[in-house]
Amino acid sequence: RRSTPRQGSLVPSAIGHLKLLPHVHPQLSLSDLEKFSHIWLLWIFHGNTNPKKASKRGNSKNEQMVLKAKIRVPRLQGGKAGLFSTRTPHRPNPIGMTLCKILKVEPKQSQVVLSGIDLLDGTPVIDIKPYVPYSDSPSEDTKAIVPDWIREESPYRKVRWIPAALKKLDEYASKLRLFSSMSSAREALEQAVLNEAIGRPAFVRMLESQEYPEVKKSDLRKVWGIRLECLQISYLILLKEHCSDRKRLKGNS
């Protein structure tokens, strides 16, 4: 779950195949979809852990009891916001929504190839809706308003690879199903790491507080990881004051 982009639009190179079941008659129901550039996906957060926690606590009939009303927000660096002011997957009704770009519509294969996707493999999709600009985006005379912490840009701009990681990626690029070349896989990985790293310093800062007094300050350097098909990618965020925006990535399979 941690390898999945928090927002698909932040990782536009992430590619996925949307498979349709026979009962929706894909060769007919996908007609004319190729005339649109984007679609909305409505889907279920099936990988959520809160139902399991509820079951262990004897609350399986009332899973909402384990939901938190305030959520730690990555861009707030550990600060909290109300559940309905966030995109957290842990919601009373765990439904997700993603705006994806259509790369290819393949009715005969019962599938649509999409980019900018932020779903787990096997995620149940409950509906597809075409993106229509005149109704799905604010009009020119209506300015969308968001909190300051949403407007702030990520402090991370670049991923620095170690030579061994690039060699591994080149070696395994041909085995990746969703990417046609090493460069496309590398682009997707870098976008994913930069996106994922946004919330990581928040965890480090929590460790520096009295919440975890057993953790020494000298140990506050953490190796994080994400997966891309058969690749397990590890990356490091340096905590030195003048190096906090540098990342090193090393991969292994």
Side-chain angles (χ1 to χ4, degrees):
R1 291 180 297 121
R2 294 187 181 278
S3 302
T4 307
R6 289 192 176 92
Q7 300 294 328
S9 60
L10 299 180
V11 188
S13 297
I15 297 174
H17 290 181
L18 174 64
K19 293 283 189 178
L20 279 73
L21 299 178
H23 75 275
V24 300
H25 307 291
Q27 293 195 42
L28 296 176
S29 59
L30 289 177
S31 297
D32 300 313
L33 190 62
E34 74 280 356
K35 298 175 182 178
F36 293 87
S37 64
H38 294 75
I39 59 174
W40 291 104
L41 293 186
L42 298 176
W43 44 278
I44 303 294
F45 285 104
H46 71 298
N48 277 1
T49 57
N50 50 300
K52 296 179 181 178
K53 293 178 181 178
S55 179
K56 288 181 180 180
R57 296 178 186 179
N59 296 327
S60 57
K61 294 183 180 180
N62 188 7
E63 294 171 0
Q64 294 184 10
M65 292 183 64
V66 300
L67 292 175
K68 296 181 180 179
K70 301 202 74 173
I71 306 296
R72 290 192 184 277
V73 181
R75 287 182 178 272
L76 284 177
Q77 299 296 297
K80 293 185 177 182
L83 184 154
F84 294 118
S85 299
T86 73
R87 297 289 185 92
T88 177
H90 302 290
R91 319 184 73 80
N93 295 298
I95 297 174
M97 181 174 68
T98 302
L99 180 64
C100 299
K101 182 179 180 180
I102 298 175
L103 298 181
K104 192 183 298 184
V105 179
E106 300 177 328
K108 292 184 178 180
Q109 287 76 37
S110 301
Q111 70 178 15
V112 182
V113 183
L114 304 167
S115 65
I117 200 162
D118 58 354
L119 283 66
L120 293 174
D121 186 30
T123 294
V125 176
I126 57 179
D127 202 3
I128 304 169
K129 298 181 185 294
Y131 173 78
V132 181
Y134 75 81
S135 63
D136 292 355
S137 60
S139 60
E140 294 182 0
D141 58 347
T142 303
K143 184 179 180 180
I145 299 174
V146 297
D148 291 340
W149 51 268
I150 289 182
R151 289 198 298 266
E152 290 180 2
E153 295 184 1
S154 168
Y156 306 118
R157 295 287 184 273
K158 188 177 181 181
V159 173
R160 186 175 63 194
W161 294 71
I162 62 173
L166 285 177
K167 184 177 179 180
K168 280 280 188 180
L169 181 60
D170 185 40
E171 179 182 347
Y172 283 90
S174 62
K175 299 180 181 179
L176 300 176
R177 296 179 294 110
L178 299 176
F179 299 92
S180 58
S181 64
M182 173 186 169
S183 60
S184 62
R186 176 176 177 175
E187 183 179 28
L189 281 168
E190 291 184 357
Q191 290 172 356
V193 167
L194 292 173
N195 177 48
E196 175 69 13
I198 293 173
R200 294 313 186 192
F203 180 66
V204 170
R205 289 199 177 123
M206 286 181 352
L207 288 180
E208 289 180 316
S209 70
Q210 297 302 314
E211 198 168 349
Y212 298 93
E214 70 276 12
V215 179
K216 297 179 181 179
K217 192 169 183 178
S218 59
D219 294 332
L220 295 181
R221 192 177 72 169
K222 183 75 174 179
V223 177
W224 305 100
I226 62 174
R227 288 189 63 85
L228 177 68
E229 296 191 31
C230 62
L231 296 177
Q232 175 66 43
I233 309 298
S234 301
Y235 67 93
L236 179 68
I237 302 175
L238 301 181
L239 299 185
K240 294 180 181 179
E241 182 178 355
H242 299 292
C243 301
S244 60
D245 61 340
R246 296 182 182 176
K247 285 161 285 297
R248 288 185 295 181
L249 188 152
K250 53 184 178 180
N252 55 72
S253 59

